[in-house]
Amino acid sequence: MGELESTDKYRFCNHHHELGDEHEVVDFGDGEFVANKAAIPLLKALNEAGLKTRTHHYTGEGGAFVAILLDDIHVEIKTVNEVDADRTKYNGKKELLLMWNKKTK
């Protein structure tokens, strides 16, 4: 893929270049934004579950990120210790725990 031209056309949703074949304008109920097509299933699921996303980058290869707004979300970074399970493969690993109540319209 070549370099895409810069544009102000999508500034309303924090996107800074023309759309390529790997982009699509979507709206999951909080306004239109430009999404990487490969990320649409993840972004749709997060937003429908009540976790609002602000920005992302995901192409299916290389570096990726997703930013989730933390309004009314409690966040903990914990060390896993599954004392009530037979499995131990996750014990000692770090996890990000997000807790929220999904708001209904």
Side-chain angles (χ1 to χ4, degrees), residues 40-54:
I40 290 174
L42 171 63
L43 297 169
K44 184 176 190 298
L46 288 170
N47 281 274
E48 286 179 352
L51 295 171
K52 297 297 176 197
T53 59
R54 186 191 65 81

Side-chain angles (χ1 to χ4, degrees), residues 33-105:
F33 66 96
V34 175
N36 295 108
K37 286 181 180 178
I40 290 174
L42 171 63
L43 297 169
K44 184 176 190 298
L46 288 170
N47 281 274
E48 286 179 352
L51 295 171
K52 297 297 176 197
T53 59
R54 186 191 65 81
T55 187
H56 73 281
H57 176 75
Y58 178 80
T59 62
E61 56 186 56
F65 65 85
V66 63
I68 298 171
L69 296 170
L70 296 177
D71 298 335
D72 302 317
I73 297 175
H74 180 76
V75 178
E76 290 182 28
I77 298 175
K78 298 174 56 174
T79 301
V80 176
N81 183 15
E82 293 190 312
V83 295
D84 296 319
D86 291 336
R87 70 179 180 189
T88 59
K89 66 182 179 180
Y90 300 118
N91 288 350
K93 295 182 181 258
K94 292 288 186 192
E95 69 181 6
L96 175 63
L97 177 63
L98 302 176
M99 294 167 278
W100 72 98
N101 289 316
K102 184 176 183 216
K103 292 185 172 100
T104 57
K105 293 180 182 180

Side-chain angles (χ1 to χ4, degrees), residues 6-23:
S6 293
T7 183
D8 288 338
K9 184 176 179 179
Y10 304 101
R11 271 183 72 84
F12 70 93
C13 64
N14 194 37
H15 191 79
H16 308 288
H17 57 75
E18 289 291 342
L19 303 187
D21 292 340
E22 69 282 353
H23 300 103

